[in-house]
Amino acid sequence: MENTVLHKANTRGHADLGWLNSYHTFSFSNYYNPERMNFGVLRVLNDDTVAAGMGFGTHPHQNMEIISIPLEGDLEHQDSMGNKTVIKNGDIQVMSAGTGIQHSEYNKNKDTQVKFLQIWVIPNQQNVTPRYDQITLNPEDRKNKLQQILSPNPEDEGVWIHQNAWFHLGQFDKELTETYQLKKEGNGLYAFILRGNLTINGQELNTRDGFGIWDFNELEIKATSDTEFLLMEVPMKL
């Protein structure tokens, strides 16, 4: 019997700091909801907008896989490993914090905001050597199909993390239907709708809604409008 959890967009935690407007799907910072701590090893899903020229000062992380997916604008990254890069829409960035890293993230532009998703996944190994990677994806590869952007395998498509997780982006035209097969038994799937409307196994989802499903055999994904979305397959056991 499948199990599901629905997080409507307007039920997320919200922090407006002026320079940062952030929506939290799971408990984060000053937002605490014991019903919303995680979905399996998916610990943080933040939907962030950073004002022009502003950003997050240098701060530490450890023993977490941190994935950034820019949606709009240019985000400048600097870290204690010596990386200084800019990520923009079409890129995906990953950091394995492991034994510990420090980094900062700033909106590179003085006249436009930047929007990005920040995602934390609990790793399956502790105290790994910290690492950084970023790649540029081809948006055409998600047009009416699922584009793999993350996996556990360095040789596979997308970036990789220390966890049996697979992420896909899709950009579907209205009425397109696709079936999703789990990559690993016992995993669950968390969907986040970037824009538009989608049904997953009959559950209607709208822009910025989140939906988790586990203990299922197969998933039917149907676009009920032109839509763009992120699928995150993750282990359910911490």
Side-chain angles (χ1 to χ4, degrees):
M1 180 65 188
E2 69 184 38
N3 287 292
T4 62
V5 61
L6 176 63
H7 298 136
K8 295 297 286 179
N10 62 2
T11 67
R12 296 177 294 171
H14 183 220
D16 188 349
L17 308 180
W19 66 273
L20 171 68
N21 190 20
S22 182
Y23 288 90
H24 313 311
T25 296
F26 303 107
S27 294
F28 186 85
S29 189
N30 293 332
Y31 169 62
Y32 176 74
N33 180 341
E35 300 290 304
R36 291 201 188 182
M37 294 307 297
N38 56 292
F39 178 81
V41 300
L42 178 61
R43 175 62 191 86
V44 167
L45 172 56
N46 287 350
D47 184 3
D48 289 349
T49 301
V50 179
M54 303 300 284
F56 302 88
T58 302
H59 58 281
H61 292 285
Q62 65 182 53
N63 286 322
M64 195 64 73
E65 304 289 305
I66 299 169
I67 301 108
S68 296
I69 303 176
L71 305 175
E72 184 183 298
D74 303 308
L75 190 68
E76 185 172 298
H77 162 96
Q78 272 187 270
D79 64 43
S80 51
M81 294 177 282
N83 297 295
K84 184 174 182 181
T85 61
V86 174
I87 56 171
K88 52 187 180 295
N89 182 244
D91 296 342
I92 179 169
Q93 176 202 73
V94 64
M95 288 190 302
S96 296
T99 53
I101 55 167
Q102 300 219 8
H103 79 133
S104 61
E105 296 157 297
Y106 280 92
N107 184 344
K108 189 169 173 59
N109 300 311
K110 303 291 186 241
D111 53 355
T112 54
Q113 62 187 17
V114 63
K115 294 186 177 185
F116 71 107
L117 301 180
Q118 183 173 172
I119 299 162
W120 295 7
V121 173
I122 298 165
N124 57 16
Q125 298 175 51
Q126 296 287 296
N127 300 319
V128 300
T129 302
R131 70 179 182 101
Y132 176 89
D133 193 19
Q134 75 177 68
I135 60 169
T136 299
L137 303 163
N138 181 358
E140 288 301 309
D141 291 343
R142 73 191 72 136
K143 186 69 178 161
N144 289 326
K145 56 186 183 223
L146 295 174
Q147 176 188 37
Q148 182 175 293
I149 64 168
L150 177 148
S151 79
N153 310 310
E155 299 81 32
D156 218 342
E157 290 174 79
V159 296
W160 67 276
I161 62 170
H162 296 279
Q163 189 51 272
N164 291 315
W166 286 263
F167 288 12
H168 291 79
L169 282 170
Q171 188 178 337
F172 284 11
D173 293 336
K174 185 179 179 180
E175 301 301 337
L176 187 83
T177 301
E178 180 73 80
T179 301
Y180 183 90
Q181 300 283 353
L182 272 184
K183 306 284 190 188
K184 187 171 173 60
E185 193 178 347
N187 278 2
L189 189 88
Y190 194 90
F192 186 69
I193 314 306
L194 296 170
R195 61 173 180 85
N197 308 294
L198 193 71
T199 62
I200 296 182
N201 282 12
Q203 173 65 58
E204 178 72 35
L205 302 167
N206 312 110
T207 299
R208 283 345 201 227
D209 286 352
F211 180 63
I213 180 167
W214 66 104
D215 294 335
F216 65 89
N217 293 320
E218 173 172 290
L219 278 184
E220 186 187 77
I221 299 163
K222 182 176 181 183
T224 49
S225 74
D226 291 352
T227 182
E228 197 163 359
F229 57 95
L230 172 65
L231 302 180
M232 295 169 278
E233 177 183 328
V234 294
M236 296 306 291
K237 287 198 172 88
L238 293 175

